[in-house]
Amino acid sequence: MTITPPDRFAPTLLDWFDRHGRKDLPWQQQPTPYRVWVSEIMLQQTQVAVVIPYFVRFMARFPALNDLADAPLDAVLALWSGLGYYARARHLHQAARLIRDQHQGVFPQDRQTIESLPGIGRSTAGAILSLALGQCHPILDGNVRRVFARCFGVEGWPGQAAVQARLWGLAEQLMPLERVGAYNQALMDLGATLCTRARPGCDRCPLAPSCVARCQGRQSELPQARPAKPVPRRETLLILARDPRGAVLLERCPPAGIWGGLWSLPQTAPDRDPAQWCRERTGAEPLRVEMRPARRHSFSHFTLTMRIAEIWAIAPPRGVADADSQRWFSPGELAGLGLPAPIRSILADQTAPSNADSNQPPAQEETK
DNA sequence: AATCCGGGGCA
DNA sequence: TGCCCAGGATT
C-alpha cells in the first residue's frame, strides 16, 4: 500500500474534484448561504437526483430567505410533500423567521450563531460556511463518515460518541487552508459517487492506494453498521370519508410525531366502529361503510398496517369538520396540500375513476 | 426486508 | 450523555 501522507490527502482530493467533481448542481449556482442551507437540509434525507426538482420548485416559490420567512407554514409543507422528515421543513421555516426577526433577514456568518438555529448542527453549519462563504470549517455527513472510516480504517459504529469524535478529529486534521469549499464538496462527491455504501468504485478512486479498507478488502465492513433492533408492528384505522360531492375529510396531524403538521386521513384505533366514529367526530351522517384493502408502510423503526374504512356520508353544512384541524377537501384541492406519501398514494388509488374494484365485494384481507 | 440519514428531544 | 425518533429511497 502506498501511503498518502495527511498533507497530501486534500490536494489529492482537490485534484480529483477539478477533473471529475460535479459543478453544475442548482445550488452551486449563486451559492448563497440561503441556497446552500436549503439544499443541505434537503440532501440530509434524499439523494441528489430526487432533490433537484424539489430544490428548483422551492427556489422558484421562495427565491430569498424573507420569502420563506413570510410564507405560511402550510405553503412550505406543501412544497416539501413527498420528501419526508417534515420536522425539517418546520425547522427551516422557523429558522427563516428567526433570521428575519433577529438578524434583519441577513444569514448569520459565524458558526456559533448558525448552529443555534433549529435544524442546523455542526456539519450543516460547516457546509453553509465553507460552500457559500469559503470559511474554514469541516463537515461530517454520512458520505464523509464513510470515506474517512474506510480510508483510515476507523472501527466501530459512527453513531457511538467515541467513533464520532475520532471522525471529527480526522475532519479537522485533514482540512486544507485553501479552497475549503471545493474540498468539502469533493469529499461529499466522492462519498456519493465512488465511495458508495455498496460496490464502491475503488478502481477510479484517487485515495485507493492508501485506503485501509481497500487494502484489507473490507469495504463492506467499514463503516460498521448500526446494531440491529427488532422492528415492532403497529396498526391503525384510516377513515376515508366522502360526501356526495366527492369531498374527502382530512385531519391535521399533531405537530410532534409521525407526519407532524401534515394533512392526513383521520386515524383511529383499529377496533373502533367507523360509522360511530364518523357521527361523533364529524357530525356527518354515515350512509354506508366498506372496508378497503389494507396497506402496509415501513418506517425504519416500525411497520404500520393501515386498515381503511371508506364511508359515504352527508357532511353537515357547517360544523366541527370545518376547522383548521379537520376539514372537507374537494379532489382538486388535494394536489396543493402537504400530504404524507402513503396517504397521497391511497387517495390517488381510491379516488381514481374507472376502477373495476368499485363493484367488487369489500376486501377484508391485507394486500400482500 | 434491511439499511441509511443530521439533528431534536428527552430520560 | 445516551438513547429514541422520523419517512422515504435504494438495494
Side-chain angles (χ1 to χ4, degrees), chain A residues 116-139:
Chain A
S116 71
L117 294 167
I120 302 183
R122 183 176 177 187
S123 186
T124 304
I128 294 169
L129 287 172
S130 61
L131 298 180
L133 302 172
Q135 288 188 26
C136 280
H137 297 280
I139 57 169

Side-chain angles (χ1 to χ4, degrees), chain A residues 29-268:
Chain A
Q29 321 309 316
Q30 313 146 42
T32 62
Y34 170 63
R35 289 167 60 86
V36 171
W37 172 41
V38 172
S39 74
E40 285 299 318
I41 301 298
M42 289 182 171
L43 288 165
Q44 282 173 13
Q45 64 210 22
T46 311
Q47 297 206 334
V48 168
V50 180
V51 161
I52 289 175
Y54 279 90
F55 180 83
V56 170
R57 265 184 290 150
F58 200 91
M59 283 303 149
R61 173 73 176 78
F62 311 117
L65 190 143
N66 280 330
D67 301 316
L68 175 59
D70 293 341
L73 176 60
D74 271 359
V76 181
L77 288 174
L79 280 187
W80 209 266
S81 175
L83 269 180
Y85 276 115
Y86 301 96
R88 291 179 184 176
R90 286 201 308 278
H91 287 146
L92 197 72
H93 184 244
Q94 193 186 340
R97 297 199 155 178
L98 275 169
I99 295 170
R100 179 193 65 189
D101 297 339
Q102 297 180 9
H103 299 94
Q104 294 76 46
V106 179
F107 208 99
Q109 307 208 344
D110 63 288
R111 187 161 81 90
Q112 293 279 35
T113 312
I114 294 181
E115 256 187 78
S116 71
L117 294 167
I120 302 183
R122 183 176 177 187
S123 186
T124 304
I128 294 169
L129 287 172
S130 61
L131 298 180
L133 302 172
Q135 288 188 26
C136 280
H137 297 280
I139 57 169
L140 193 64
D141 69 3
N143 288 323
V144 180
R145 274 199 292 272
R146 195 167 50 245
V147 171
F148 286 168
R150 284 181 176 157
C151 211
F152 301 97
V154 177
E155 306 286 341
W157 174 52
Q160 281 180 294
V163 179
Q164 195 174 20
R166 167 112 194 269
L167 292 170
W168 271 116
L170 282 168
E172 289 167 354
Q173 235 181 302
L174 297 165
M175 190 177 52
L177 298 175
E178 311 269 326
R179 298 190 67 200
V180 175
Y183 166 81
N184 281 342
Q185 189 66 61
L187 268 179
M188 294 190 283
D189 274 16
L190 190 83
T193 62
L194 287 188
C195 198
T196 48
R197 187 158 65 91
R199 296 186 308 162
C202 301
D203 48 340
R204 285 165 291 151
C205 179
L207 302 170
S210 63
C211 175
V212 170
R214 154 86 163 171
C215 169
Q216 303 177 348
R218 299 175 60 218
Q219 292 96 323
S220 65
E221 296 168 32
L222 293 173
Q224 213 173 89
R226 168 199 207 92
K229 285 182 313 184
V231 176
R233 296 164 171 274
R234 293 188 205 167
E235 210 169 308
T236 189
L237 175 62
L238 297 179
I239 309 285
L240 177 56
R242 320 162 179 285
D243 78 357
R245 292 164 311 178
V248 176
L249 182 70
L250 298 183
E251 266 185 9
R252 194 190 291 279
C253 299
I258 190 171
W259 301 330
L262 272 72
W263 288 99
S264 173
L265 291 173
Q267 293 184 59
T268 184

Side-chain angles (χ1 to χ4, degrees), chain A residues 278-298:
Chain A
C278 184
R279 267 190 296 271
E280 286 178 10
R281 288 287 304 277
T282 74
E285 185 52 32
L287 303 176
R288 189 155 63 101
V289 178
E290 272 185 22
M291 293 305 293
R292 312 302 307 176
R295 300 275 198 115
R296 249 195 232 171
H297 189 76
S298 292

Side-chain angles (χ1 to χ4, degrees), chain A residues 265 295-297 306 308 339-352:
Chain A
L265 291 173
R295 300 275 198 115
R296 249 195 232 171
H297 189 76
M306 299 174 282
I308 304 171
L339 290 172
I343 300 296
R344 191 179 290 287
S345 159
I346 289 171
L347 286 170
D349 286 2
Q350 300 292 331
T351 60

